[in-house]
Amino acid sequence: MTKAIADKAGLKDCPALMDHPVARALVRDAHHRMYRWPAGFAGYRADLTLNDEGRILKGAVQLIPRKDTTVELPGADPANQEWVRERLWTQGMHLAHTTFEEGDGRYVLSFDPEEDPAGLHPRGRRVLLTGGRLDSWYRIKHCQYTQIGRITPMTERRVNTIERYGQAPDGRQYSSHYVMTYFTLDGASVVGMESYVNEYKDVQGVWLPLCRRVSFGERGLVRTRVIELSNHEVLA
């Protein structure tokens, strides 16, 4: 158990949290419901259009799962091009094939000891993941992730609140709308918030990104950028 979770739970003298079979089953079921690319999927190329508050830029992207994401966006500010690359790279990481045993199944999965088991939190019970690089937790309800919390060492605390799911052609689900909230490391202040709306399309039997609409606050305004992909090509 990490020190941050131990301190939060008031268990500083406790050597470890015990794995809870019900918590493990909740995370396993939610994992299996999520759409992920096939194990042998090599990646994709696509034409890319960025609409940044009405300014249109065109380019291309190539993504190889868990290895590389390259964005070419002529005329874009380097920071904006990196912003696009990071949003597509993060999306690809979430879609990349991972078994439960290779992912969350490696960690100790237990319910938050501070929560009342009989409570009716609107987003479900909180499950703590201990033993990983990041301090993480999930809220799960109706076999769906409803919130995902991460603490990145020395940088930030963030919570992904999933508002809506869509269904891929094979019946599994994907997050079609979620809100990312960023906090200071001590959790005392909100320092940023982003709203994501995602659309996909079936390309040769693989569910590939079609559009990402991101809205975020900046300098007293709410800005919106839309990343659209077209002419997809599945890599061999």
Side-chain angles (χ1 to χ4, degrees):
M1 176 171 59
T2 65
K3 183 179 185 301
I5 291 178
D7 290 352
K8 174 191 176 301
L11 299 173
K12 296 181 182 180
D13 299 325
C14 180
L17 288 174
M18 297 295 292
D19 197 86
H20 196 295
V22 176
R24 177 164 293 272
L26 284 175
V27 178
R28 182 190 296 112
D29 290 347
H31 175 96
H32 289 159
R33 286 175 62 106
M34 295 298 293
Y35 177 84
R36 287 178 175 81
W37 288 325
F41 179 63
Y44 70 86
R45 294 190 191 95
D47 293 339
L48 185 156
T49 300
L50 172 66
N51 184 333
D52 182 3
E53 294 278 297
R55 184 188 180 205
I56 306 299
L57 296 169
K58 294 183 178 294
V61 59
Q62 176 173 291
L63 185 146
I64 301 173
R66 298 192 181 281
K67 292 184 179 179
D68 188 39
T69 302
T70 303
V71 168
E72 297 176 0
L73 204 57
D77 179 275
N80 285 358
Q81 179 165 298
E82 176 58 21
W83 184 93
V84 173
R85 191 203 68 82
E86 184 177 331
R87 267 76 191 159
L88 295 176
W89 171 80
T90 302
Q91 185 178 44
M93 289 294 291
H94 291 156
L95 289 167
H97 177 81
T98 306
T99 66
F100 173 72
E101 290 71 23
E102 293 169 335
D104 294 335
R106 296 175 298 166
Y107 307 123
V108 174
L109 304 174
S110 56
F111 290 114
D112 186 341
E114 283 197 334
E115 284 196 340
D116 179 0
L120 298 175
H121 192 285
R123 295 190 180 272
R125 292 189 71 180
R126 183 152 83 158
V127 177
L128 307 180
L129 286 74
T130 61
R133 182 177 60 87
L134 306 180
D135 291 332
S136 304
W137 54 265
Y138 297 140
R139 285 198 184 277
I140 298 173
K141 188 173 183 179
H142 303 317
C143 297
Q144 293 179 327
Y145 302 109
T146 61
Q147 283 186 326
I148 300 171
R150 307 282 193 220
I151 302 176
T152 306
M154 303 304 294
T155 55
E156 65 190 13
R157 180 189 300 256
R158 60 186 186 270
V159 177
N160 175 1
T161 300
I162 302 174
E163 297 292 359
R164 187 172 297 119
Y165 281 97
Q167 192 171 72
D170 66 359
R172 289 181 292 173
Q173 63 190 13
Y174 64 92
S175 56
S176 58
H177 179 205
Y178 65 86
V179 176
M180 188 73 74
T181 307
Y182 299 89
F183 299 85
T184 54
L185 265 182
D186 61 7
S189 302
V190 173
V191 294
M193 184 174 287
E194 297 176 335
S195 171
Y196 287 78
V197 177
N198 300 310
E199 298 176 28
Y200 294 83
K201 67 177 296 185
D202 190 330
V203 180
Q204 298 178 30
V206 181
W207 207 227
L208 293 182
L210 179 65
C211 179
R212 297 204 91 183
R213 185 172 74 245
V214 186
S215 298
F216 56 96
E218 184 178 76
R219 299 175 184 173
L221 300 173
V222 176
R223 301 190 60 184
T224 298
R225 291 175 178 161
V226 179
I227 304 168
E228 293 184 302
L229 303 184
S230 60
N231 298 321
H232 298 73
E233 175 188 352
V234 174
L235 301 178

